[in-house]
Every structure is written in C-alpha cells, then in structure tokens.
Amino acid sequence: MVGIWGAIGTEPVRTDQRERLTADLEWNGLETTGEYTDGDVTVGIATHSDEPQPVWTGEDVAVWLWGSVWGFDGPDGYSLPTGPPAAYCASLYEEYGLEFVAGLNGNFVGAVYDPSERRVSLFTDRLGSRAVHCYRTDGGIVFSTNVQSLPLHPAVETGFDVEYLAEYFSLQRAFGVKTPLDGVERLQPGSITTVSLDETTVETERYWTPSYDPVDEPREYFVRRIAETLTRAVEERTDPDTEYGLLLSGGSDSRLTLAALMAADRDVRCYHLADWVNPEARIARRVATAADVPITLLQRGREYQANTLRKTPRAGNFVGYFNQIHAAGFEGTLREDVEYLFTGHYGDMLFKGNHVPTRTIDLGGLGSFPLPVEEDVESVEEYVSGRVSEAPPYIRDALSRDMYDVYAANVSREGEGIVDHGIAYGSLQEATVCSRCPLTNGTSQFFYYGTLQTMPSGTLFLDNRLVDLFLSTPTSYLLRGNLIGEAIEYLDPDLAAIPHGSTNVPLSYPPAIQQAGRIATAFKRRHFPEPIDEPHWTAGPWTNHSELIRSQGFVRETIDEHEELIRALPFLSWEGVNECYQAHLDGADNLAALYTLVTFLRMPLTRRLAQAERPVATTP
C-alpha cells in the first residue's frame, strides 16, 4: 500500500518493528519507501513517487507528504507548484510557516518536524480524503494511514469498541473521527495537529470548515463554472507526455472528466468495468468512439468478486467493503497500460446532491425513486433517524442499546451548530449538505483510498475550487439542475447527445425528461430484461451482489473458514451470522451486513487483535 505512519514521543522501537510498520504500507512492492528516526520521533512513508523523503528546509526542518498538491492560494493569489509535492511544501513552509497548509489545493496528508523546537505537526487536506488514524500515548501519539498495522506498534494497546463496530456493521462506516478501535481516532479534516515533545501536549486546530452559503446565480453560471474549472484543473495537473487512463462508465461523471481531458487536448485511454457486454458497456463504447479515444472492456470473470475478497480487505479502513476497490482485479493491466488513472468519483457528491435528504416515492411495479426536492431536517432526532439502520443479528446481542441511541450518543447541539462524532458543523443543514466532510463519512471513500493503493490515481472533482463552488450552489440546482450533464454539453455537445446508461436519454435533455427516462428504463429492465447467462449480471456496470451471494458460495465459505475466529470474538454471534446469511438466501436484503462481515473477517487487524486477546471496549 502507500501511506505514512509515525510514532511521536514514544520509546524507540526495534529496527525490525519499525521496518514491519513501513512494509505494511506497501501494496505490491513497487512503492518507494523511507524511514526516519530521531530519538523519540519516527516517521515511515511509502509512495508511488520517486521523491526521497523527508525533504529538509534550509532551517533544518523535515517535511513529508503523501499525496498530491496542485496549487497554493496565498497572499499573492493562486500559484502552481514549482517542484515535487514534499519539496514544494518545504519551500512554502520556509516562507509562511505552518500557515502554508491552509492555502494548499490537493489531496494529501503531511508531517513537519522541527528538531530545534522539539515539535511535530501533522496536517490533513480540507476533506480529510486520506484518513490518519491516531492513538494517544502518555507522551505523544502513534499514527498511521493504514489502520490495519497501527496495533503492530508496541505502544498501541487497543481492542474493539463494540458500539462503533456496530456502526460499521450496520452503516458500513463509523462516522466523523471515530473508529471501531478503542482509543484510536481519525485526525480532523482540514486540520493541523501539533505534538510538543517537551510539553507532552497534543493540540489540534482546524484551518478550514465547510460553510454552505448558496448564491443567487442562474443555473448556467454553475454549469459554466464546473466545465471551465474542470478543464483548468486538467491543464494544471496533467502534461502531454504522460499516459493517462480513465474508468469510463455509461453515466455522466466520468464522461465529464473525459470531456475536460479532451478540452485540454490530453490523450487518454478509457476502461469500462462490466460482467458482460451489456447496454451500459455499449454506451461507454459509443462515448469513447465519439471522443476518438481507445477503450478496453475490463470484463469480470465468474470468480472476480471471490478473488477480490481475498485481496482487498488488507487495505480496509472500516469504511465500505471489499468489492468497492472496483478495478483491483485489473491492477496489472492498468499499471502496464497507463501511468495515472482518473475516475469520475465524487462528481455526484458535489453536483448531483446524492447525499441531500429527499423523499422517496414508491411507484409499485415501476420501483422506488427519490423526489428531487430537499427534505428539511429540523431536529437532531430527525437527523439521527435519517442516518441509522438496525444492527445485524450477529452483533445485536452485544449491544446494550439500539442503533438510534448508539448514534445519538455521539451527536450534540452547540448553539445553532451540531457536533456529530467529533466533527463540528455550523447548522443541521450543513451537517446534511456537507455530510461528506470528512470523506470517510461516505462508504465510497474505500474506492478512492483503495484505488490509490494500487497505482497513481485520483479524481478531478476533489479540487478546492470545485468544493467552494459546491458550497455556493443552491440545493435546487444540485437536485434538479442536471449540472453535470449540461457541463458536458458545454464542453462537448456530441458526448452529451449520447444517452445516459440508466435513463436511455441524452445527457443534454431537461431534468424532468431525465427522471422520466430513469423510471421507464428501470421498468423495462425489471419486467423485460435482456437474456443473461448469470443471475448476478445486470444491464449496468455493477454486479447484482445480492444475487451473487445467493448463486455463489464464496461468502458462505468465508464464514465457515472463520468459524473459530467468529466464536472467539465475544461481540459476534455464530448463530446470528447464520441467521443473517440464511435470511438473505430466503429473500431478505442483507448484502451490506454480509459483505461488511466478510471484509472484517479477512482484515489482518481482526486476527491480530483476536490473537492478542485484548479487551473489548464499550463506548460510555
């Protein structure tokens, strides 16, 4: 894997322990790794870059950075990097001190060590896109972006926290700064955490918090800004000599990324994931043909998901589950073909309002569909109710209260604002509209984080300028504005004229027609489907995982393989596991509960803690 870990203010560990913690950051052995130790300060890093780290400033201050920096918004305006990320940050530190972090545009986590001041500072990007898991010791902290290896450090004494683990099993993530490990929390998004070794203090300051403040501008203003900002991001972040890849669906987010790449005159090779040459795969090929770029079908075989389950949980961070590193099984092909892989990830988060609360309409045989009108959340009780679901039967008996009370215990009012799992928001509306700050509040973060492990990759949408634009966009436009589709038309009308894979309606059509097309397409696929060879195949890019569990045995086999472990963990019920599995076979929808469970069972961390026989904690 790639990432960064460190121990600040702890007793130095043996060389073999230090090397193992760094080696645990590697995914395939192709990474560049480095370690630095100075008494009670140790930092290890693994990256896809050849840049040696740490980088030293002229004042003998060490700087590390895992991630990408695309620009700096400083006193003299916005400027582009003048060197590799860590070296660039070191130069900014020399000029501005730690205040430089607030001006960075990028996805990153970094560290600054000043030996003369006996001080180490860790910093995260605005949205906390790369989570840092932190354990407090008497004299400092142990931290790592890889939560799986954190307990390998001898100063970390942790066990499973049953209630946060229940959040993971029922909601597929623990929210905010919380994790299912006792004493382990994520660093705040948009923050600088400073450890003073002499004073043995740890202080955190947030340099950025989301503020939702929609402006009164016509829809066309936002469409133009999205299209032009994405194109500018391509021009700034890419160069003509690099080979780029793009995961292209039949939808709109990746298509807009393709349009921006074309507008910036960049060459790109597209890839489409599917189980068979289905309608969406055919649309993706039409899009690539219209853009005159090559496209490769990455066709998942029958054992693809079973093989993925054996591979990806070692990168698990208690967000989402194993199959969400969608292209993990094609890592070799992608690495051989291209140097950097783009996705359209988070376009829907920013400009389709997919996390804004709305009502759902049940149209019977036509299916259920969200009504694209924001539903106001007027109380903490409504807010919590919109988040929770029932705990799976395999952990239910270990809880002393239901999931509503578990979640509500982590939510409090502060004036007009709200604190949810340690993250402060200015209002209930901001807590919903900006709920993906930090990104680990959404299960798809595992797709982002996991793909980063396999190769250099990213999305154009996590750009500060686009985040700022999102924070100024009225929810009516997010839900009903077709902003992504019209941004494609702004850049490339030919691409916008091709239908969306789930609507069979061109992206340039008005939102009402898009919604009608979505309902009609869903009805047709449900009642008049194309003949398929496997029950888990679909007309779209995703596997029908509910049917896959019923038609294949890999989930049952994983459960049986880990029976001894399940019985050894006091919070899991073997009978509850079997009840959950059998109910799914009988028609219940227990996909998330089962996939989260088998991901957990295959995490290295699970067996490490079970073998250590450390106590199980309960949240007060």
Side-chain angles (χ1 to χ4, degrees):
M1 292 186 286
V2 285
I4 186 170
W5 78 274
I8 314 300
T10 65
E11 290 292 327
V13 298
R14 299 192 314 266
T15 300
D16 63 310
Q17 293 173 316
R18 188 174 68 244
E19 290 176 346
R20 185 179 180 190
L21 280 156
T22 302
D24 231 40
L25 297 175
E26 297 181 61
W27 177 262
N28 52 27
L30 300 176
E31 298 83 0
T32 298
T33 62
E35 295 170 16
Y36 170 85
T37 297
D38 178 17
D40 53 0
V41 174
T42 297
V43 176
I45 192 166
T47 70
H48 294 304
S49 166
D50 293 331
E51 182 185 19
Q53 298 192 47
V55 174
W56 292 89
T57 71
E59 300 171 347
D60 293 328
V61 172
V63 177
W64 294 263
L65 190 110
W66 172 48
S68 302
V69 173
W70 310 310
F72 175 70
D73 196 1
D76 299 324
Y78 190 79
S79 58
L80 301 181
T82 56
Y88 182 55
C89 287
S91 67
L92 292 174
Y93 177 84
E94 287 186 309
E95 188 170 356
Y96 300 104
L98 276 173
E99 288 74 18
F100 85 91
V101 175
L104 294 179
N105 180 17
N107 300 150
F108 53 79
V109 56
V112 174
Y113 172 43
D114 187 337
S116 65
E117 296 290 334
R118 298 272 297 152
R119 185 180 64 212
V120 179
S121 296
L122 307 176
F123 55 91
T124 59
D125 64 36
R126 283 182 171 192
L127 297 179
S129 66
R130 303 174 187 222
V132 182
H133 309 88
C134 186
Y135 179 86
R136 292 284 299 271
T137 66
D138 290 339
I141 63 173
V142 180
F143 69 90
S144 182
T145 51
N146 179 19
V147 71
Q148 297 294 319
S149 59
L150 194 64
L152 292 175
H153 195 284
V156 177
E157 298 180 359
T158 188
F160 289 111
D161 185 300
V162 173
E163 292 195 341
Y164 292 133
L165 194 59
E167 282 195 11
Y168 173 59
F169 286 138
S170 60
L171 308 176
Q172 288 68 63
R173 70 276 206 195
F175 282 78
V177 300
K178 305 303 182 180
T179 77
L181 299 184
D182 185 37
V184 176
E185 291 194 345
R186 302 182 186 103
L187 294 184
Q188 293 269 350
S191 71
I192 302 173
T193 298
T194 299
V195 182
S196 174
L197 294 163
D198 289 338
E199 299 176 11
T200 64
T201 59
V202 181
E203 297 180 352
T204 295
E205 176 186 358
R206 290 192 74 181
Y207 64 83
W208 184 86
T209 57
S211 178
Y212 183 60
D213 187 18
V215 299
D216 184 17
E217 295 284 356
R219 185 164 53 91
E220 293 74 19
Y221 165 84
F222 297 99
V223 168
R224 176 179 56 80
R225 288 281 306 279
I226 292 169
E228 292 178 353
T229 305
L230 276 169
T231 304
R232 188 179 310 118
V234 172
E235 292 169 346
E236 294 170 353
R237 290 168 54 178
T238 64
D239 67 82
D241 297 326
T242 300
E243 296 177 325
Y244 295 102
L246 171 65
L247 293 182
L248 180 69
S249 71
S252 56
D253 300 339
S254 59
R255 198 182 307 185
L256 178 55
T257 301
L258 177 60
L261 287 162
M262 295 296 98
D265 197 26
R266 295 293 187 261
D267 292 332
V268 63
R269 175 183 293 272
C270 291
Y271 300 87
H272 180 78
L273 287 157
D275 292 311
W276 61 296
V277 185
N278 59 24
E280 179 138 346
R282 295 194 286 270
I283 286 178
R285 182 166 294 280
R286 284 181 61 187
V287 172
T289 300
D292 195 24
V293 297
I295 185 169
T296 299
L297 175 64
L298 302 178
Q299 189 166 348
R300 295 182 291 257
R302 199 171 191 279
E303 301 299 317
Y304 186 86
Q305 303 298 345
N307 292 334
T308 300
L309 176 57
R310 286 187 281 269
K311 181 177 184 179
T312 61
R314 66 188 178 98
N317 58 356
F318 295 106
V319 177
Y321 32 74
F322 73 93
N323 67 300
Q324 289 176 293
I325 310 180
H326 301 298
F330 299 103
E331 172 192 348
T333 297
L334 294 169
R335 289 185 66 102
E336 183 177 343
D337 286 358
V338 299
E339 299 171 71
Y340 189 96
L341 181 67
F342 280 109
T343 74
H345 198 194
Y346 292 121
D348 52 2
M349 176 191 78
L350 292 181
F351 299 114
K352 294 181 183 176
N354 70 345
H355 54 285
V356 176
T358 60
R359 294 186 183 277
T360 298
I361 299 177
D362 187 354
L363 299 178
L366 294 178
S368 298
F369 299 90
L371 184 69
V373 177
E374 181 181 10
E375 185 175 17
D376 292 335
V377 177
E378 298 179 348
S379 68
V380 170
E381 291 74 21
E382 288 183 15
Y383 174 81
V384 174
S385 296
R387 288 290 180 92
V388 299
S389 60
E390 186 179 2
Y394 53 75
I395 196 171
R396 192 178 302 147
D397 291 346
L399 299 173
S400 60
R401 47 188 175 181
D402 63 23
M403 287 306 300
Y404 177 92
D405 290 335
V406 168
Y407 198 104
N410 290 275
V411 180
S412 61
R413 274 287 202 178
E414 286 196 0
E416 293 296 315
I418 184 175
V419 178
D420 184 358
H421 287 71
I423 302 293
Y425 302 92
S427 66
L428 273 171
Q429 186 185 37
E430 282 185 358
T432 53
V433 175
C434 307
S435 65
R436 295 304 185 262
C437 180
L439 284 187
T440 47
N441 274 1
T443 60
S444 71
Q445 192 267 350
F446 192 44
F447 170 49
Y448 170 79
Y449 172 76
T451 307
L452 282 175
Q453 304 304 311
T454 65
M455 67 183 299
S457 60
T459 172
L460 294 173
F461 288 101
L462 294 183
D463 186 293
N464 287 358
R465 295 163 294 188
L466 288 169
V467 173
D468 290 341
L469 182 60
F470 154 72
L471 291 171
S472 70
T473 307
T475 55
S476 59
Y477 292 161
L478 296 177
L479 293 170
R480 304 186 297 279
N482 190 28
L483 299 179
I484 296 289
E486 294 207 9
I488 297 171
E489 185 175 31
Y490 182 93
L491 292 175
D492 193 326
D494 290 341
L495 294 186
I498 298 172
H500 189 289
S502 64
T503 67
N504 279 319
V505 170
L507 298 180
S508 54
Y509 279 23
I513 298 179
Q514 298 280 343
Q515 184 71 353
R518 183 172 288 105
I519 294 172
T521 300
F523 178 84
K524 178 182 177 183
R525 290 177 177 175
R526 174 178 294 186
H527 298 287
F528 306 100
E530 289 189 37
I532 55 176
D533 296 339
E534 296 281 355
H536 62 273
W537 285 6
T538 70
W542 309 124
T543 298
N544 184 334
H545 289 278
S546 292
E547 287 303 322
L548 187 69
I549 294 172
R550 297 184 183 105
S551 62
Q552 293 190 10
F554 70 97
V555 169
R556 179 74 255 179
E557 292 162 6
T558 301
I559 290 171
D560 290 341
E561 178 185 341
H562 293 84
E563 178 180 356
E564 183 179 351
L565 177 61
I566 293 170
R567 293 184 181 276
L569 293 170
F571 47 82
L572 289 184
S573 162
W574 173 250
E575 292 74 21
V577 168
N578 287 298
E579 176 188 339
C580 184
Y581 181 76
Q582 187 59 48
H584 185 85
L585 295 187
D586 292 340
D589 183 11
N590 290 337
L591 161 65
L594 290 170
Y595 268 18
T596 307
L597 174 66
V598 294
T599 302
F600 173 77
L601 294 175
R602 287 209 177 274
M603 287 181 183
L605 174 69
T606 305
R607 194 168 294 279
R608 284 169 180 168
L609 290 188
Q611 291 171 344
E613 296 182 346
R614 287 170 170 158
V616 175
T618 302
T619 306

